[in-house]
Amino acid sequence: MRNIDKLIYANIEKNSLLPSDCSGVVLAVSGGSDSMTLLDFFIRAELPVPFCVAHINHGLRVESDEEERFLIDYCNANGVVIDVFHADIPGTKPNGVSVEEYARSVRYDFFDKIRKKYVFSHIATAHNKNDATESFFMNLVRGSGIHGAAGLPVSRQDNVIRPLLLCEKKEILLNCEENGIPFVTDQTNFENICTRNIMRNEILPKLREINPRLDDAVFRLSDLANDDEKYFVKKVEEALFSFGKNRQKNELPLNFLKSNEKAVVSRLLRRVFSELPGASGLTFAQTNDIIHLVNTGKTSDRTLLSNGYYAVLGYEMLRFVKSGDFSRIEEPLAIVEGENICGKFSVTLKRTVAEKSNVTSCFCADLPLFVRSRKASDKIRLFNRPEKSVRELFIDHKIPSEKRGDMLLVSDINDVPVWLRNFGASGDFIPVLGEPAWQISIHEIT
């Protein structure tokens, strides 16, 4: 057995890269020595899973078409299915995004498309141990934390696997030479035209002179960092599960944020913020600003984040709120008989008798009462109608999303919906005509 095969098999077995439920693998093949070694292994290994090749012609170099033809011919000669995508990177790249970053996103989008096309479960890339070292130092230069120190994991949660990660570049090149594996060479890799190439061609060779086993040392450190990162990811998942399925996506309980370690809290904040619409992620400084706000701020204090979001302190929750959403009343505000100022609204509560002319503005309930904007879990049963979520009600009546924060809801001491603006009372709180009731009126303060 070839030495390269031993390393690949050891990685597959140790890290369960091809589990029993693996339905197939998309091999990301560029035509270079690394990916051709990966392809050659899958052709020879007779693994119990189907595979295919996905190749992207980035159109960035004059050799791109020639390399595509080389790979198609090789796959056809070996009976391997291949899908090719011609990407117009220069013509479609958004402003403010590097060519390298955009090309990477295009690649993985294509690989995932092919995975779904063949109903495969995994994508295999040909990153090697030297690539892992490069990524480690690139992340270090950018100022990343433990997540960056973890470098290139052998597998990701989205089933991207890296079978060659135990193999050094020199072993891969020797394997190609000794076994006649053809490959193409991207000459731009040797030109210092980007930060990664400078790292690869100038900085890392110097460090390897200092420590010839640099790649092993970095690999060990990254392995430990990856174990730590998996632990913290698990703690975050457990926390999110403990909050319950009715948690608003933009909120987190303050008691958890105040009582847990910063290592968990910071990751939890970044995780929740990253899943909000239009949010690109929290910086190190922003994360620390939020933690400082949680520990020292007062209710309604806020700190500005990116993408137009604020972190806002409530009585029990920290919320991420868009600057345009401050018309919402996130925390229930107590109201009494007479006029109440609630955010930008004047809410007037008075005693009356329910009549046909005013019934939609009336309800029967005991004080204390509260006013707030709707929550995802809110449901209401209007007169002679089945119970329905408030969200569905808004959709049915085509209430614009930007107006829904103004559709205030009255709730009782148990936070049960009593009345909804423009719709009326709910369930047991529906008034009886001719009987005493509360009448409510809401006006925006100009």
Side-chain angles (χ1 to χ4, degrees), residues 46 223 287:
E46 298 182 354
D223 199 34
T287 304

Side-chain angles (χ1 to χ4, degrees), residues 271-286:
R271 163 71 179 275
V272 171
F273 185 78
S274 69
E275 294 176 351
L276 298 177
S280 59
L282 293 174
T283 65
F284 176 80
Q286 289 169 346

Side-chain angles (χ1 to χ4, degrees), residues 43 72 83 141 255:
I43 291 172
I72 290 174
D83 286 81
V141 169
N255 60 352

Side-chain angles (χ1 to χ4, degrees), residues 201-235:
N201 300 327
E202 293 189 2
I203 298 174
L204 292 180
K206 294 294 184 182
L207 293 176
R208 290 187 181 105
E209 289 179 10
I210 298 172
N211 180 6
R213 301 194 58 95
L214 175 71
D215 298 283
D216 289 334
V218 169
F219 192 83
R220 287 194 301 272
L221 177 57
S222 293
D223 199 34
L224 292 171
N226 193 44
D227 288 341
D228 288 349
E229 190 64 18
K230 286 180 179 178
Y231 170 79
F232 287 119
V233 168
K234 181 180 178 182
K235 297 294 287 184

Side-chain angles (χ1 to χ4, degrees), residues 350-375:
K350 68 178 183 179
R351 299 183 186 275
T352 189
V353 173
E355 301 173 352
K356 285 185 178 181
S357 60
N358 67 5
V359 69
T360 58
S361 62
C362 292
F363 58 85
C364 292
D366 296 327
L367 296 175
L369 295 169
F370 304 85
V371 163
R372 61 172 171 81
S373 296
R374 75 162 184 97
K375 298 191 296 188

